[in-house]
Amino acid sequence: MVGFEKEVRVMGAGSESPMGKAADGTGNAGNWLTFKKLAPLLVIAIAIILFFLFDLDEYLTFQALSEHRDRLMEFVTANYLVAALIYMGLYIVVVALSLPGGLLMTVTGGFLFGWIAAGVMTVFAATIGSTLIFMIAATSLGEPLRKKAGPTLKKLEEGFRENALSYLLFLRLVPVFPFWLVNIAPAFLGVKLGTYVIGTLLGIIPGTFVFAYLGGGLDSIIREQQSVYQACLDSGRTDCVLDFQFSSLVTTEILLSFIALGVIALLPVVVKKFRKAK
């Protein structure tokens, strides 16, 4: 009887997965995606749906900026600290929800607050927003998926985690990869929170300050586009649009500079592999 009880205890221990749920005969966890884990993702999904449902994305456009330019400048002049806190709060929300408009807000911040102040505020706000979505992705999906991952993903995870800071800096410095993707991808590869925060904070500094600096010339861009728009209306056309693509501010020289910084960030990885090869 004692032996039987011992066997039952052993079987019971073996039937628990790392997630604390009962496992089936194949070793798969039963309810590995619980409502508690998915709840933050559901909240984000609902917030995104409401954002577009109420057309709030229209406020994150060049046209809205152009139309409210004077009022924004007056508000910032009269309430600089409050405006700065609102700016940072909105930036955190935009990044955490992976909403479009981050580039517009960075350039606008440089225009309203000056490029140095805007650069500092944006770096910290973007880091906070990125960290929030990283933590949600890591706990909601990253941990369960890593436990269910096959050997290929585990090998990729080990390689990325071994040089996590260098890879993160490369992904952040080279403006080729979508910002939202770089925010959540490390969550599925087992990157530690501290490494993620440092890599994000340092990696977004160059690009953030460059675009904040370009925001200093935003007033001339607004005036020019308003003139073009008005001329279009005066000509009797009905397809006139007041718009400007901020991505056009990224010149070849700026892009090559970011790529060069990204390559430098990967040098420790190259040196480490070279030493192992020797």
Side-chain angles (χ1 to χ4, degrees):
M1 190 69 179
V2 174
F4 176 76
E5 291 176 353
K6 181 178 180 181
E7 182 179 356
V8 170
R9 286 197 297 269
V10 172
M11 290 177 63
S15 63
E16 282 287 314
S17 74
M19 296 297 294
K21 299 296 181 180
D24 56 23
T26 61
N28 292 327
N31 299 324
W32 60 286
L33 283 180
T34 64
F35 177 79
K36 184 177 180 180
K37 287 184 175 295
L38 291 177
L41 291 179
L42 293 176
V43 172
I44 289 178
I46 293 173
I48 294 175
I49 292 173
L50 292 176
F51 176 81
F52 289 102
L53 185 64
F54 288 100
D55 296 324
L56 297 179
D57 55 312
E58 294 182 0
Y59 292 96
L60 294 176
T61 61
F62 177 80
Q63 181 174 352
L65 171 62
S66 177
E67 292 175 352
H68 299 93
R69 165 188 167 277
D70 294 334
R71 275 179 285 181
L72 286 172
M73 293 181 65
E74 291 173 1
F75 182 78
V76 171
T77 301
N79 310 274
Y80 189 90
L81 181 59
V82 174
L85 293 175
I86 293 175
Y87 171 79
M88 293 183 67
L90 289 175
Y91 209 107
I92 291 172
V93 172
V94 167
V95 173
L97 297 182
S98 301
L99 299 174
L103 179 57
L104 169 65
M105 289 192 65
T106 304
V107 176
T108 304
F111 167 60
L112 294 175
F113 301 100
W115 69 277
I116 295 179
V120 173
M121 290 188 291
T122 303
V123 166
F124 281 102
T127 300
I128 294 172
S130 299
T131 302
L132 288 175
I133 190 62
F134 167 82
M135 293 174 64
I136 292 174
T139 55
S140 298
L141 294 176
E143 180 183 341
L145 287 178
R146 288 199 305 275
K147 292 181 181 298
K148 305 272 287 185
T152 302
L153 182 58
K154 286 187 178 296
K155 187 175 181 180
L156 177 63
E157 176 186 338
E158 292 172 1
F160 192 95
R161 190 163 46 188
E162 183 180 357
N163 305 283
L165 184 58
S166 294
Y167 286 138
L168 268 173
L169 287 174
F170 174 78
L171 293 174
R172 292 297 189 188
L173 288 167
V174 180
V176 176
F177 312 97
F179 194 73
W180 64 267
L181 180 60
V182 182
N183 285 342
I184 63 174
F188 305 134
L189 297 173
V191 176
K192 295 181 179 179
L193 178 61
T195 303
Y196 178 86
V197 172
I198 294 174
T200 299
L201 181 67
L202 298 179
I204 66 176
I205 286 177
T208 299
F209 276 90
V210 166
F211 287 112
Y213 177 78
L214 293 175
L218 185 59
D219 194 47
S220 61
I221 294 176
I222 292 176
R223 294 182 183 278
E224 179 183 353
Q225 294 303 314
Q226 285 177 339
S227 299
V228 172
Y229 178 70
Q230 188 59 48
C232 178
L233 293 177
D234 293 341
S235 66
R237 294 175 56 181
T238 57
D239 58 345
C240 303
V241 178
L242 180 59
D243 194 14
F244 179 78
Q245 299 299 321
F246 286 99
S247 57
S248 63
L249 296 174
V250 183
T251 63
T252 303
E253 291 78 9
I254 292 177
L255 185 59
L256 290 176
S257 299
F258 288 155
I259 293 175
L261 290 174
V263 171
I264 293 174
L266 288 180
L267 285 180
V269 180
V270 176
V271 171
K272 186 182 294 186
K273 291 185 179 295
F274 178 74
R275 288 177 176 175
K276 284 185 178 181
K278 290 184 64 175

